[in-house]
Structures are given as structure tokens and as C-alpha cells.
Amino acid sequence: MVFLSSRKSWALPYIIFSAIFVVIPLLLIVVYAFTDDNGALTLENFEKFFHHHEAVNTFVYSIGIAIITTLFCLLLGYPAAWILSNSKLNRSKTMVVLFILPMWVNILVRTLATVALFDFLSVPLGEGALIFGMVYNFIPFMIYPIYNTLQKMDQSYIEAAQDLGANPMQVFLKAVLPLSMPGVMSGIMMVFMPTISTFAIAELLTMNNIKLFGTTIQENINNSMWNYGAALSLIMLLLIAATSLFSTEDKDNSNEGGGLW
């Protein structure tokens, strides 16, 4: 009773949930990745991947698509977030809701709507449609963290830069952009990670003619090749983890810098 009445007990449901739906599945992926069909320890699953040129090419291609999608989302999302956060350019909160609204709709529904739109406009499905669909689906995840950071930004830094004689471009480059980097890094991670692992968007917008790494994993698991599919999943997880650590180090280094000028 003493334990249940303490604040530490409030975390118990979250610990149980994380153990069942996060920790155990990750452990199963690791176990399957390093074992064969008979349960013996092996590295053949990883050797198979590195010797399978088609799988390696798909992996590299998926990284390229993810990088292109992230860059487009950043180039389009940052100006949109800046306009939404600027009270002089946006006086209505309705615009913010309209930009965030797509996040409330299921990603498959949005993708199917995109396919229907392309069919209506007689636009051929392929790589261009894939990148468009990726940007359309994930750009809200770039806009929201940048907008949130810009909204909470201390305006005194901008006023100080203006008082020191900085022109609008200098104010943006030396004050606004450095202060908004935490939101930019969060947006990059929120776009890059799901893009590199998705498969439904590629299947629908390319008529399954273009494979991403997520599609390769799905096909192997559907064909009961659990061990090889787990090895591919672990490779993708390691890439995402490395990207996350890199972004965290960048944030720490920027925070240690101490100044904007």
C-alpha cells in the first residue's frame, strides 16, 4: 500500500507498457537476427544481406529517398513555420490548424487520396509521385516542431540584433536560425526516421514498381523469413539510432557554443 500510494508507482503502468510493446519486441528482433531457423547463433543473416546486391541497393536507394524527402520538407516547411509564427504575417490561428490538420488523418487515407488525385490528373505514378507523396505526408512533422520553437523564441534577441544595426537577413541568419535549430533537428528526425522505414506509400504511389527498404523487410517477414527480416530490421534500427545520436551531439555542441554571434 505504501508503494502504491507513492509517486513512483504512477510510472508502473508506463514501465509495463514499455516492457511489453518496446523492450520485448526489440529483444526478439535481436534474437531472430542472430539465429537461424534452428535457433543456433549465426551471422549468416547479415552476410546474406551484404552479399545480396539488390537488398544493398534498395537500402542505399531508401536512404537517398529519405534524404531528398527531408530536404524538400525542410525547404518548404521552414518558411511555412516562420510565416505561421510571425504575428505580422499570420493573425489567425486557423492557418495553424489547417497546416497541422493533415496529421490527424490516417497516412494511408492521405496516400490513397493522392493516388486518386494523380489518376484524375493523369499523372503517371513513379519516383516523382513517390517523393511528392512522401513530402505531402511528412511535411506537417517538419512544420510543427519548427513552428513550436519559433513561437517560444525570446523576441529580445531579435530586438537586440535590430538595435545593433542588423538588417533583416542578418537578424535571420545570426539570431532566428541558430535559435530555431532545436526545432529543425527535431523536424529532420521526425521526417527522416519514418521515411526510411515506410513501405505502404511506395507500394501505392509506384504500383509496387519501386521498392524501399521497408518493403524488403515486409516481404521477407510475409514469406516467413523471420531471421533475415529481423536482421534487415536491426540494420535499419541501427541506422536510425546512429542518426538520433548524431542529432543529439549536434544539439549539445550548439548549446555549448554560448553565443549567437
Side-chain angles (χ1 to χ4, degrees), residues 2 47 108 142 178 191 248:
V2 174
E47 293 177 358
L108 290 178
M142 180 68 73
V191 172
T248 303

Side-chain angles (χ1 to χ4, degrees), residues 107-108 111 129-130 133-134 137-138 198-206:
I107 192 170
L108 290 178
T111 304
L130 172 62
M134 292 282 196
N137 278 291
F138 294 115
T198 187
F199 60 89
I201 298 176
E203 291 181 358
L204 293 173
L205 289 176
T206 66

Side-chain angles (χ1 to χ4, degrees), residues 29-67:
I29 290 176
V30 174
V31 170
Y32 274 103
F34 288 97
T35 56
D36 56 18
D37 295 334
N38 299 321
L41 291 176
T42 182
L43 294 176
E44 290 182 359
N45 298 315
F46 297 95
E47 293 177 358
K48 181 179 179 181
F49 166 72
F50 289 108
H51 288 91
H52 192 191
H53 298 294
E54 183 179 352
V56 174
N57 292 336
T58 302
F59 181 63
V60 175
Y61 181 78
S62 300
I63 295 176
I65 291 293
I67 292 174

Side-chain angles (χ1 to χ4, degrees), residues 102-167:
M103 297 176 66
W104 301 349
V105 182
N106 185 275
I107 192 170
L108 290 178
V109 175
R110 282 182 280 156
T111 304
L112 289 172
T114 306
V115 174
L117 177 63
F118 284 167
D119 288 340
F120 177 77
L121 298 176
S122 299
V123 177
L125 300 179
E127 189 175 61
L130 172 62
I131 295 176
F132 178 88
M134 292 282 196
V135 174
Y136 166 66
N137 278 291
F138 294 115
I139 193 170
F141 297 96
M142 180 68 73
I143 293 176
Y144 182 72
I146 298 176
Y147 164 77
N148 193 38
T149 303
L150 292 174
Q151 273 286 97
K152 297 179 179 179
M153 184 181 300
D154 189 350
Q155 297 298 313
S156 61
Y157 289 108
I158 298 176
E159 295 172 359
Q162 293 172 342
D163 291 340
L164 291 172
N167 58 43

